[in-house]
Amino acid sequence: MLSIRQLILRVSAASAVICLTAATPRLLLAQNATALAPVVIPTSPVSVSGELGTQSQYLGSVPTGKPTGTVIPLSLSDALDRGLKYNLGAIESDIRTRTARAERLKSLSDLLPNVNAAISQTAEQVNLRALGLKIPVPGFPVVVGPFGVEDARAYWSQRIFDWNAVQKLRASQKNLQASNYSYKDSRDLVVLAVANAYLQLVADQATIESQKAQLETSRALYQRAQDQTRAGVAARIDELRADVELQTQHQRLIAAQDQSAKDALSLARTIGLPPGQEFMLTDSVPYSPLQGVILEQALQQAYVSRPDYLSAQLSVQAAEYSRRASKAENYPSISSQVDYGDIGPNFANSHGTVTATASLNIPIFQGTRVRGDVLEADATLQQRRAEMEDLRGRIDQDVRSAFLDLDAAAELVNVAAHNKDLARETLSEAQDRFASGVTDNIEVVQAQESVSAADQAYISSLYTYNIAKVQLARATGIAEQAVKAYLGGQ
């Protein structure tokens, strides 16, 4: 029978595993039917996968360079720097910013002078009768020419006043500023994607080390059960049970190594490493409490620093200018044209000429086009305002959720660390009882499963805590600046 202390230890271990499983979504590895408990590998929290998506551009990159043929060291800082440079999401966002810059330049060109120059030389012979001219003068030629005309001329035109073009230019300037903030927001998402991939791989490697230790323990227990069976002090079922546990731990190690290899490929894709380039992580990212971060200060900083919120504010301003531009289609506009040139039979016998024109264009009736443009611009403005207010509420939710995750994950790390010690103490007592012949090895196998579950719970909770730090930095809009400090990267 179990002692009260052993029963308490087992209940404590099971409770910690259940709590952690409920707090953090996991990916259950496929197990053989003989497995007594599945291995739990930490995966991205729902909020991370929700922001990035399973087919997101932030999970891709533009691979650069060729494989070196050697295993290169990769720190967290190096991974973040490469991701910000080669990640597909950052590259596409930069392209969108350049597109917005091009739109602004096109809007500006409508208000700038247009200057052109032309040089022409003409040789002509004219049939006056073909033109309908009959001059009743004896001897006057029917065909005139040939004669030549040479003309060198410069043309200048400009809109002196066009309120529609002015408002469009202001809208394009706000759109460009919004695009710049969108680019900064994309860089924060790149940091989130890279940090998540790096931490995932760190957790995988910790799982592998844990499974290797469990495999060695299972091998030693199997050898002891085998020796006791041969000595006649243990039943054959104890040896079979130990063998099953040994094979189960071996299966888990193989599954963990496979998962680690695939996550390494994902990290390489995220940061743009050359295909086939091998690397090793140099940062283990241990537990480090986050100090000096207060909820109210984080909320205030988020509204000031979040690039997506700043971009949304500028998008609203751009929509307001676009609406004004639509209304200004009914306003008069003033334009001017000037040309100056030198014209004559040839440039040796030529004279300068100039033409200057100023015109006032007054729209009188343009159908319903302007009204339609105003309604469309007004709808866009209302949409941008609604999106901005929704984002403001989401920022509050993001920051508060990040703090809740951070606090819960910190407690889970402490509980899981204590549970590891309890599980190992339980295993040690079970081994001693089995070695003394007090009981069979059912207790040993169960205790070893508790150790394995406790190790996985600690790895999962540590991953959850670290990614919660990254999410807090992302929620407050300082991911690119703060993640290295939060995670201890140099």
Side-chain angles (χ1 to χ4, degrees), residues 452-467:
S452 179
D455 284 347
Q456 291 304 302
Y458 179 77
I459 293 170
S460 297
S461 62
L462 181 57
Y463 164 82
T464 303
Y465 180 73
N466 284 327
I467 200 63

Side-chain angles (χ1 to χ4, degrees), residues 231-296:
V233 296
R236 170 68 174 165
I237 188 63
D238 290 335
E239 179 182 349
L240 294 176
R241 193 181 293 116
D243 193 13
V244 169
E245 178 66 14
L246 174 62
Q247 301 307 318
T248 298
Q249 297 295 345
H250 193 197
Q251 289 175 340
R252 293 175 178 175
L253 176 59
I254 293 173
Q257 290 172 333
D258 175 68
Q259 185 66 42
S260 178
K262 290 189 291 185
D263 287 339
L265 293 176
S266 297
L267 175 59
R269 283 280 297 123
T270 303
I271 63 177
L273 283 177
Q277 175 64 60
E278 297 184 3
F279 62 91
M280 62 177 182
L281 304 187
T282 60
D283 292 337
S284 58
V285 196
Y287 175 73
S288 175
L290 186 61
Q291 304 291 342
V293 182
I294 303 174
L295 175 60
E296 294 303 324

Side-chain angles (χ1 to χ4, degrees), residues 4-320:
I4 295 180
R5 174 176 174 77
Q6 290 174 321
L7 182 60
I8 293 175
L9 291 176
R10 292 182 184 178
V11 171
S12 176
S15 299
V17 173
I18 292 173
C19 290
L20 184 63
T21 304
T24 308
R26 304 297 180 201
L27 176 64
L28 300 181
L29 297 177
Q31 296 295 319
N32 186 280
T34 59
L36 300 179
V39 175
V40 181
I41 300 295
T43 60
S44 304
V46 174
S47 54
V48 175
S49 60
E51 282 194 78
L52 299 178
T54 57
Q55 300 294 328
S56 171
Q57 66 227 17
Y58 296 100
L59 303 180
S61 63
V62 178
T64 305
K66 296 182 179 179
T68 61
T70 59
V71 179
I72 63 173
L74 183 66
S75 66
L76 175 61
S77 180
D78 293 337
L80 291 172
D81 291 341
R82 285 193 63 93
L84 291 171
K85 189 174 182 180
Y86 300 116
N87 187 272
L88 182 61
I91 292 175
E92 290 187 350
S93 182
D94 180 59
I95 292 173
R96 289 191 293 270
T97 300
R98 284 187 283 172
T99 301
R101 189 177 299 115
E103 291 297 328
R104 175 190 171 276
L105 291 175
K106 289 192 291 184
S107 297
L108 179 61
S109 69
D110 291 337
L111 295 171
L112 294 177
N114 290 321
V115 180
N116 299 293
I119 299 177
S120 63
Q121 183 177 19
T122 305
E124 189 172 1
Q125 190 175 47
V126 180
N127 187 332
L128 298 179
R129 290 184 179 177
L131 298 176
L133 297 177
K134 296 182 180 181
I135 300 176
V137 178
F140 194 89
V142 175
V143 176
V144 180
F147 57 89
V149 177
E150 293 182 352
D151 188 6
R153 191 163 301 276
Y155 301 89
W156 178 90
S157 64
Q158 184 179 11
R159 297 183 185 181
I160 299 176
F161 174 80
D162 189 337
W163 197 239
N164 173 264
V166 171
Q167 297 300 324
K168 283 184 176 179
L169 175 60
R170 292 176 177 175
S172 66
Q173 290 173 335
K174 295 299 180 181
N175 281 326
L176 176 58
Q177 295 174 8
S179 182
N180 287 331
Y181 279 115
S182 294
Y183 174 65
K184 292 180 181 180
D185 183 61
S186 296
R187 291 177 68 88
D188 277 359
L189 286 174
V190 170
V191 170
L192 177 63
V194 173
N196 179 66
Y198 196 97
L199 293 174
Q200 181 73 64
L201 192 54
V202 168
D204 291 341
Q205 294 183 351
T207 298
I208 290 175
E209 294 302 318
S210 173
Q211 290 304 134
K212 286 182 178 179
Q214 295 303 317
L215 182 62
E216 292 303 317
T217 300
S218 296
R219 186 174 286 112
L221 293 175
Y222 171 66
Q223 186 64 46
R224 177 180 296 178
Q226 195 175 46
D227 293 341
Q228 290 184 347
T229 301
R230 291 173 181 173
V233 296
R236 170 68 174 165
I237 188 63
D238 290 335
E239 179 182 349
L240 294 176
R241 193 181 293 116
D243 193 13
V244 169
E245 178 66 14
L246 174 62
Q247 301 307 318
T248 298
Q249 297 295 345
H250 193 197
Q251 289 175 340
R252 293 175 178 175
L253 176 59
I254 293 173
Q257 290 172 333
D258 175 68
Q259 185 66 42
S260 178
K262 290 189 291 185
D263 287 339
L265 293 176
S266 297
L267 175 59
R269 283 280 297 123
T270 303
I271 63 177
L273 283 177
Q277 175 64 60
E278 297 184 3
F279 62 91
M280 62 177 182
L281 304 187
T282 60
D283 292 337
S284 58
V285 196
Y287 175 73
S288 175
L290 186 61
Q291 304 291 342
V293 182
I294 303 174
L295 175 60
E296 294 303 324
Q297 293 179 350
L299 285 171
Q300 293 176 4
Q301 185 176 34
Y303 292 125
V304 174
S305 304
R306 277 278 291 253
D308 53 348
Y309 186 60
L310 298 176
S311 177
Q313 291 176 320
L314 289 167
S315 294
V316 170
Q317 296 176 25
E320 290 174 345

Side-chain angles (χ1 to χ4, degrees), residues 153 341-344 346 349-353:
R153 191 163 301 276
D342 195 43
I343 188 170
N346 53 64
N349 298 283
S350 61
H351 193 279
T353 60

Side-chain angles (χ1 to χ4, degrees), residues 164 325-332 362-364 366 370-371 374:
N164 173 264
S326 298
K327 286 187 174 181
E329 293 178 17
N330 281 323
Y331 297 173
I362 303 176
I364 296 177
Q366 302 182 78
V370 176
R371 183 181 177 185
V374 172

Side-chain angles (χ1 to χ4, degrees), residues 84 184 188 191 305 307 473 476-486:
L84 291 171
K184 292 180 181 180
D188 277 359
V191 170
S305 304
T476 53
I478 57 172
E480 185 176 354
Q481 297 82 9
V483 162
K484 291 181 182 180
Y486 282 6

